Amino acid sequence: MRAHPKSVVSWAGFTLLCLSLGLGTLPAASVIKTKLPNIVLIFTDDMGYADIGTFGVQGIRTPSLDRLASEGRAFRNFHVAQAVCSASRAALLTGCYPNRIGIHGALGPRSRVALSHAEMTIAELVRQRGYATAIYGKWHLGDAPQFLPVHHGFDDYYGLPYSNDMWPFHPEQVRTGKRSYPDLPLIQGDKVLNPKVTASDQEQLTTQYTEHAVRFI
């Protein structure tokens, strides 16, 4: 899913959810009998219906995503539980309406709200069947260390804890001169790898997420 050089689609707000069958954790006979698939979910923010070639975009080339659609299945009437960052991710990972589990809108830095450990995520569910699990990109379900993906069933994580525009250069902060967002951290596992992501760092995120996902798969 490497982006085409001429693509102008921003992937800074996307999440790669990789669920790979850990063959070493199950007897060979069990793997053959169950024929469990590997699963890769690409979840993007702020994407309109016609933002990729399969759905009619003009002026942007998305050959890798178009190939996924042509070799798989494209759903043309598909809805998320809510069209907001944290709420939609909560629904995707738990199968629950986000209102039921107390996740509304988009959680900000240092939020006192997070995805509860009482909820079972899809990662925790498939690990029971021998899967290895990873998530790369934006998490946005609690930025405190104890609420990061590796404490919700994921074996590996690399990415941002919330939206990439929740940093000192948010347009509203630049306009008003009031700083309400802290520096943006890049996290691996539950440790801060880079406490102060810069604009040039952000330009590398798509490549880094892709490389992590490819290595994991």
Side-chain angles (χ1 to χ4, degrees), residues 24-41:
T25 64
L26 286 177
S30 298
V31 174
I32 295 172
K33 182 178 180 180
T34 56
K35 295 182 179 178
L36 296 173
N38 292 324
I39 303 167
V40 177
L41 294 175

Side-chain angles (χ1 to χ4, degrees), residues 65-217:
L65 296 176
D66 298 345
R67 181 180 174 186
L68 286 174
S70 65
E71 295 181 358
R73 178 167 300 196
F75 296 93
R76 299 180 182 275
N77 187 13
F78 182 88
H79 304 270
V80 292
Q82 285 189 21
V84 191
C85 307
S86 300
S88 60
R89 281 167 169 75
L92 174 70
L93 290 177
T94 66
C96 299
Y97 286 117
N99 288 19
R100 191 191 72 76
I101 57 178
I103 302 292
H104 307 276
L107 303 180
R110 307 190 187 105
S111 173
R112 298 179 65 181
V113 176
L115 182 63
S116 171
H117 291 294
E119 302 298 333
M120 178 175 285
T121 67
I122 187 174
E124 291 169 316
L125 180 67
V126 300
R127 282 177 75 175
Q128 298 176 11
R129 299 298 303 276
Y131 279 80
T133 59
I135 185 168
Y136 304 114
K138 187 177 77 163
W139 170 239
H140 219 161
L141 288 170
D143 62 316
Q146 67 269 27
F147 294 119
L148 291 171
V150 291
H151 302 293
H152 281 288
F154 289 96
D155 298 311
D156 194 28
Y157 170 58
Y158 179 91
L160 304 178
Y162 37 78
S163 293
N164 69 311
D165 62 351
M166 289 179 170
W167 66 334
F169 302 104
H170 188 285
E172 186 64 20
Q173 294 197 172
V174 173
R175 184 183 67 82
T176 62
K178 297 179 180 180
R179 177 169 174 168
S180 58
Y181 289 132
D183 291 325
L184 179 66
L186 178 67
I187 296 174
Q188 185 158 25
D190 56 4
K191 307 298 181 184
V192 175
L193 193 66
N194 179 0
K196 192 174 182 179
V197 170
T198 65
S200 59
D201 293 330
Q202 290 222 29
E203 293 175 358
Q204 302 302 314
L205 288 177
T206 299
T207 298
Q208 293 169 1
Y209 294 164
T210 303
E211 289 173 347
H212 274 80
V214 169
R215 282 197 296 267
F216 179 82
I217 294 170

Side-chain angles (χ1 to χ4, degrees), residues 18-73:
C18 303
L19 309 173
S20 296
L21 189 61
L23 301 185
T25 64
L26 286 177
S30 298
V31 174
I32 295 172
K33 182 178 180 180
T34 56
K35 295 182 179 178
L36 296 173
N38 292 324
I39 303 167
V40 177
L41 294 175
I42 306 171
F43 196 66
T44 68
D45 285 349
D46 305 323
M47 181 174 172
Y49 179 83
D51 280 354
I52 64 172
T54 296
F55 299 120
V57 71
Q58 299 295 319
I60 298 174
R61 298 182 62 188
T62 57
S64 297
L65 296 176
D66 298 345
R67 181 180 174 186
L68 286 174
S70 65
E71 295 181 358
R73 178 167 300 196

